[in-house]
Amino acid sequence: MLRIIKTRIQQKYRTMAYPDGPPPELPSRFTGRPVVNHGTCRDGCDLCIAACPVHAIHMSLDTEGPVIDTGRCIFCRACEEACPAGIIHFSREYRLATSPRHELFVQAGSPEHGPARHEVAVRFFNRSLKLRQVSAGGCNACEADTNVLATLAWDLGRFGIQFVASPRHADGLLITGPVTENMRLALEKTYAAVPDPKIVIAVGSCAIAGGPYVDHPEQHNGVSDILPVDLFIPGCPPHPLTILDGLLRFIGRVG
């Protein structure tokens, strides 16, 4: 026992200072929010559209450039590599979460990040938010990065945010996966069991828009057509910092 106490003292405080301090260092291969530079695409060039495996890009008539749906994007960077004019590149911006779905669309002139603050969440869940996590057919990548937040280094509980076992003890659902047909009814019943007022958070490109499984007949292209979504956290999978930042901005704990 004394050895355990001594080791714990030597370890010191392991929880990161964020958001009171700087965010943790991101890995060198981290891919953040895409940036679309001002400029005109070459006439008839649709190489970025053709390169996107999930059909997340279309051309804007207003800016004469690409529009990227980050909710559908899987951040593979194929469009960046395909663009001969260098109009598209991916930044290291981790603040990807937004409350309005339309704010997930990035084009030339888009802000650095979209708004995530939600007035119902700020009013009722600012100091305590209990979430029931539902894996609706996910591959376990988004689930794993969500679970990381409960570890010593991240300590999600210090913000009053915790995952609970029963939807009847929850304030809302955190959903991952494209919502397979086999999970649809279970998801609807879980949502019905959460008391009002309740919120829904879609984590990952699968939960937002189907991800790599988009338009497959055995899934529903995410949760939006089944339940009302209050917060979208894109990524494939989103980094734990992206998830934490989204949750904290959602409940008004950070700007």
Side-chain angles (χ1 to χ4, degrees):
M1 176 62 73
L2 291 177
R3 189 185 308 113
I4 294 174
I5 295 174
K6 180 181 177 180
T7 301
R8 183 65 190 89
I9 293 174
Q10 291 173 340
Q11 287 177 342
K12 299 181 179 179
Y13 191 73
R14 291 295 184 91
T15 304
M16 66 184 67
Y18 177 84
D20 295 329
E25 183 177 353
L26 294 167
S28 60
R29 297 179 64 183
F30 173 78
T31 301
R33 183 176 169 91
V35 175
V36 179
N37 298 321
H38 286 281
T40 303
C41 293
R42 298 178 182 177
D43 291 340
C45 177
D46 60 356
L47 293 177
C48 59
I49 296 175
C52 181
V54 292
H55 314 295
I57 306 175
H58 69 272
M59 286 295 170
S60 167
L61 297 177
D62 296 329
T63 64
E64 297 183 346
V67 179
I68 303 174
D69 180 359
T70 59
R72 177 172 286 196
C73 176
I74 59 172
F75 296 80
C76 66
R77 307 185 82 140
C79 56
E80 180 183 55
E81 297 173 4
C83 181
I87 290 177
I88 299 173
H89 76 274
F90 283 80
S91 71
R92 294 181 62 79
E93 175 58 68
Y94 60 86
R95 292 171 293 181
L96 302 175
T98 71
S99 283
R101 176 67 173 91
H102 66 86
E103 291 288 351
L104 293 178
F105 290 88
V106 174
Q107 59 184 326
S110 290
E112 188 176 25
H113 62 87
R117 181 185 174 95
H118 191 279
E119 293 308 318
V120 172
V122 171
R123 179 181 178 186
F124 291 101
F125 310 127
N126 177 263
R127 298 181 63 84
S128 176
L129 176 62
K130 311 301 182 186
L131 296 170
R132 175 65 168 95
Q133 200 277 322
V134 179
S135 177
C139 71
N140 205 40
C142 293
E143 292 85 349
D145 278 359
T146 299
N147 289 340
V148 165
L149 297 177
T151 62
L152 181 66
W154 295 88
D155 192 15
L156 185 65
R158 62 193 162 119
F159 304 108
I161 306 174
Q162 295 177 319
F163 294 104
V164 295
S166 171
R168 299 192 184 281
H169 299 160
D171 302 308
L173 303 181
L174 186 148
I175 302 168
T176 55
V179 188
T180 59
E181 177 57 25
N182 286 342
M183 279 298 299
R184 179 186 58 81
L185 181 59
L187 176 61
E188 291 174 338
K189 288 184 175 182
T190 304
Y191 177 77
V194 179
D196 292 323
K198 51 191 170 186
I199 50 95
V200 173
I201 301 170
V203 174
S205 61
C206 287
I208 297 173
Y213 312 102
V214 63
D215 294 334
H216 190 284
E218 293 301 322
Q219 55 84 44
H220 292 273
N221 285 347
V223 67
S224 294
D225 289 339
I226 299 173
L227 302 177
V229 180
D230 301 290
L231 178 67
F232 301 89
I233 306 179
C236 189
H239 190 277
L241 180 58
T242 297
I243 302 173
L244 177 59
D245 164 77
L247 293 174
L248 293 181
R249 288 195 291 126
F250 181 64
I251 62 176
R253 296 292 291 270
V254 299

